[in-house]
Amino acid sequence: MADKERGEGLDIRSDPAADADVASLEAKAGTTERVTYVPGNHETTGLRRSLNGRHTYMISLASGVGTGLFIGSGSALYAAGPLGVLLGYTFCGLLAAEVSFISAETIGFLPVSGGFIRIVPRFSDRALGTTVALVFWYLLSITLGAEIVAASSLIAFWRPDLNPAIFITVFFIIVLAFNFMPVRFYGESEFFFGLLKTLLVVGMIMAGFLVDWGANPLGDYVGGRNWSTPIKEYLVSGSTGRFLAIWSTLINAAFALGNIQITTIGAGEVENPRINVPKAMRRIFWRIFLFYILSLLAVGLILPSSEPALASSSGTASSPFVLAFNKFGIAGVPSIINAVVITSAFSSGNGMLFLASRVLVGLAQDGQAPKVFLKTNAFGVPWVAVLASFPLALLAYLNCGGDTPSTVFGWFINLIATAGLVIWVIICFTYVRFYYGLKHHGISRDELPYKSWGQPYAAIAAGVFCFLIVFFSGFSIFFPGNFTASGFLSNYIACFIVPALYIILKITTKSPWIKYEDMDFSEMEAIRTERAIREALPAKKVSILGWLKDKVADE
């Protein structure tokens, strides 16, 4: 039943009468795959739809679970305490879930390469679309640098005597090589890395609870001992200090969860994109809950938030997961965790370069960037866009200067998180316009491949909260004795760059706001045709267990 409704894995050639229609659809799509996807007028030339549902889900998983969880959560635990960090990440997780739901709805409507960056100008104006695209490209490019900083600093767990520049260079070469290979190879590699991360996180959660219950070499039953102060006080005492402690974790949480919408960027290279991309986006909620909340709960039980090493200058020493198992003398496990975290950082960085290049492709297709970015190699990879997206990542070499890895990584966290939250605000704003545009044209959202719930109020609330987090992101530097130029710039530079960039583009392009009556919903024709083809197919038998699994995962 679920597969019939969503069309996944169906062969439209099972109906002989449909063969002519299918052949014409495949010719229009430029593919010979047996799918129930009907392309609209947005199709990408040069790029190949080589990523299937399995790839799409794991790319979303692998790119979103990285150093924000494995390393960045350490400073949040130290500042807010075990309950404080859980509350902060849970609240930001709800915002991320809402962004993923509305992104699933809009990308189901228009599955284009570049994802939401090409949807924004369609329902607002060209200047805003170009602004969000350039900001997102910057965010992805600089996140590659952050992941490489983390990976190289983690090598110090084994070889603190070696210069991190060696490993930064090696990681950069490998990432570039992966991004010049066929996109299916990229999809398979991300599937492998995503699976590795999944096993690591599940293993850490299980091991964390076992250690807490006394299954450790010391035979120490921890229980809730480390929750004696569930929420710490930050900067001031009392309930205000506890509130500020929770608020201080939101930037770390936004850094960890801020790439929730990245699955939409590669929609131009995904098979059955109206099905596979929204499905991957919807299932992100479970990743947030299982991977972030449960792992932070486990580490908060066995590691005191007062552990001095959490505030250490060493990137390795401040990883709460390595510290937690080291504390109980569990031989070998910290090294295994460290090794997988390094592959995690590499995987996330690899995904960032892939997606940054696709942002440039989307801009070039819409005439907002040079057409040279559309050039592809023999494998269908936009190699010029890949090379153009690489230079900002070279900021990773700051790790080789006088500043400590945790300081450099902290700068990256602030720069990336605030830029990501600004993008979330714009995504929410665009969705609201999309929502009212559908109403203006008399189009029911029930016709869309996916319909998110609670709209438009959920999107409005998410956008308002994201704005507030950005506005107060650097509140701590305004307390006496805390102000630094680097702290101010890393927290608020996006607040200056984004409006300035938009104003410049607005003046130079003279682009008008798209009125509701002028919004283009011609894609609905392709959506209706696609649905009609699926509904003409015989129902596929699905077990009750399979139907229940899909329902739970999707809804």
Side-chain angles (χ1 to χ4, degrees):
M1 177 178 177
D3 284 338
K4 179 177 182 292
E5 290 175 352
R6 305 191 189 285
E8 183 178 14
L10 299 177
D11 182 358
I12 52 181
R13 294 179 193 262
S14 59
D15 181 1
D19 281 351
D21 290 338
V22 172
S24 65
L25 291 173
E26 288 180 345
K28 185 176 180 182
T31 179
T32 58
E33 63 195 16
R34 297 183 175 189
V35 298
T36 54
Y37 168 60
V38 179
N41 59 3
H42 60 265
E43 283 306 295
T44 301
T45 57
L47 300 182
R48 300 175 182 176
R49 292 194 179 274
S50 302
L51 300 177
N52 57 33
R54 174 173 60 87
H55 295 144
T56 307
Y57 179 71
M58 275 301 183
I59 287 173
S60 174
L61 178 69
S63 298
V65 178
T67 52
L69 172 63
F70 297 122
I71 298 178
S73 59
S75 60
L77 176 62
Y78 184 78
L83 180 57
V85 73
L86 273 178
L87 292 174
Y89 274 70
T90 299
F91 178 72
C92 203
L94 293 175
L95 297 179
E98 177 56 26
V99 171
S100 72
F101 295 152
I102 61 178
S103 296
E105 182 171 333
T106 53
I107 203 65
F109 167 76
L110 190 69
V112 289
S113 177
F116 71 91
I117 65 169
R118 295 180 68 193
I119 291 174
V120 170
R122 194 177 181 115
F123 302 106
S124 57
D125 82 323
R126 181 180 175 184
L128 184 62
T130 306
T131 299
V132 74
L134 292 174
V135 172
F136 192 58
W137 173 81
Y138 148 82
L139 181 151
L140 293 169
S141 300
I142 203 170
T143 301
L144 168 59
E147 299 291 348
I148 297 300
V149 164
S152 62
S153 65
L154 288 168
I155 299 290
F157 185 81
W158 298 292
R159 294 298 304 270
D161 56 310
L162 295 179
N163 192 317
I166 299 172
F167 304 106
I168 291 174
T169 304
V170 170
F171 282 129
F172 275 151
I173 292 172
I174 297 174
V175 166
L176 276 174
F178 268 67
N179 275 272
F180 277 105
M181 294 179 182
V183 69
R184 183 170 288 274
F185 181 84
Y186 164 80
E188 293 296 347
S189 67
E190 286 300 281
F191 179 83
F192 170 76
F193 287 130
L195 186 60
L196 199 63
K197 290 182 191 181
T198 302
L199 295 174
L200 171 66
V201 175
V202 172
M204 286 193 309
I205 292 170
M206 295 175 63
F209 286 123
L210 289 172
V211 168
D212 181 65
W213 297 333
N216 58 72
L218 304 179
D220 182 15
Y221 176 81
V222 182
R225 186 170 65 212
N226 292 322
W227 278 57
S228 57
T229 306
I231 304 177
K232 299 170 73 173
E233 297 174 346
Y234 185 64
L235 296 176
V236 296
S237 59
S239 57
T240 302
R242 287 187 286 273
F243 171 78
L244 292 179
I246 296 172
W247 192 269
S248 71
T249 68
L250 296 181
I251 284 295
N252 293 70
F255 169 75
L257 301 167
N259 288 322
I260 200 100
Q261 69 282 357
I262 60 174
T263 308
T264 68
I265 301 300
E269 295 167 271
V270 177
E271 298 172 357
N272 286 351
R274 297 192 208 280
I275 299 167
N276 288 327
V277 179
K279 178 175 284 189
M281 294 298 295
R282 296 195 301 272
R283 291 180 174 180
I284 292 304
F285 175 77
W286 296 107
R287 184 198 79 190
I288 294 169
F289 180 76
L290 294 175
F291 283 14
Y292 283 85
I293 305 306
L294 290 183
S295 58
L296 290 173
L297 174 62
V299 78
L301 284 171
I302 62 177
L303 184 68
S305 59
S306 58
E307 175 65 45
L310 286 170
S312 169
S313 62
S314 167
T316 300
S318 60
S319 174
F321 299 94
V322 173
L323 285 170
F325 291 101
N326 254 339
K327 182 179 178 64
F328 289 91
I330 303 176
V333 173
S335 288
I336 294 173
I337 293 174
N338 208 59
V340 178
V341 172
I342 289 172
T343 64
S344 167
F346 164 77
S347 167
S348 295
N350 189 40
M352 294 304 103
L353 183 57
F354 170 83
L355 294 164
S357 64
R358 272 50 180 186
V359 170
L360 290 183
V361 169
L363 283 171
Q365 287 171 337
D366 287 348
Q368 299 172 47
K371 295 294 183 183
V372 69
F373 292 135
L374 297 177
K375 285 190 175 181
T376 58
N377 62 16
F379 303 124
V381 174
W383 63 274
V384 177
V386 170
L387 286 178
S389 301
F390 180 73
L392 276 177
L394 297 177
L395 289 172
Y397 285 105
L398 288 172
N399 196 32
C400 306
D403 293 297
T404 63
S406 66
T407 301
V408 175
F409 190 65
W411 292 340
F412 276 117
I413 285 178
N414 293 338
L415 288 169
I416 294 165
T418 51
L421 287 166
V422 169
I423 289 172
W424 281 8
V425 172
I426 296 174
I427 289 176
C428 292
F429 171 75
T430 302
Y431 174 80
V432 172
R433 287 186 57 80
F434 168 77
Y435 175 91
Y436 284 111
L438 286 171
K439 289 193 70 173
H440 183 86
H441 286 261
I443 300 172
S444 171
R445 291 171 61 233
D446 293 328
E447 293 188 73
L448 298 175
Y450 172 70
K451 172 185 173 182
S452 57
W453 58 272
Q455 304 305 340
Y457 308 107
I460 294 171
V464 170
F465 278 116
C466 288
F467 173 80
L468 292 175
I469 295 172
V470 173
F471 190 79
F472 294 106
S473 62
F475 73 92
S476 61
I477 65 173
F478 296 105
F479 278 73
N482 285 356
F483 186 86
T484 62
S486 60
F488 178 81
L489 289 175
S490 62
N491 278 288
Y492 290 110
I493 192 169
C495 298
F496 296 104
I497 290 178
V498 174
L501 184 59
Y502 173 69
I503 291 170
I504 292 171
L505 288 170
K506 189 71 175 175
I507 293 173
T508 55
T509 62
K510 297 182 173 61
S511 59
W513 274 93
I514 306 297
K515 298 178 181 179
Y516 290 127
E517 55 266 27
D518 296 328
M519 289 183 178
D520 181 6
F521 289 102
S522 59
E523 195 74 12
M524 291 303 301
E525 179 184 350
I527 292 172
R528 289 162 182 152
T529 302
E530 187 176 316
R531 176 169 293 169
I533 291 175
R534 283 201 206 99
E535 290 176 349
L537 294 173
K540 183 178 179 179
K541 292 184 179 179
V542 179
S543 66
I544 295 177
L545 183 62
W547 177 84
L548 183 62
K549 182 194 72 172
D550 274 356
K551 275 295 181 184
V552 170
D554 287 341
E555 306 300 340

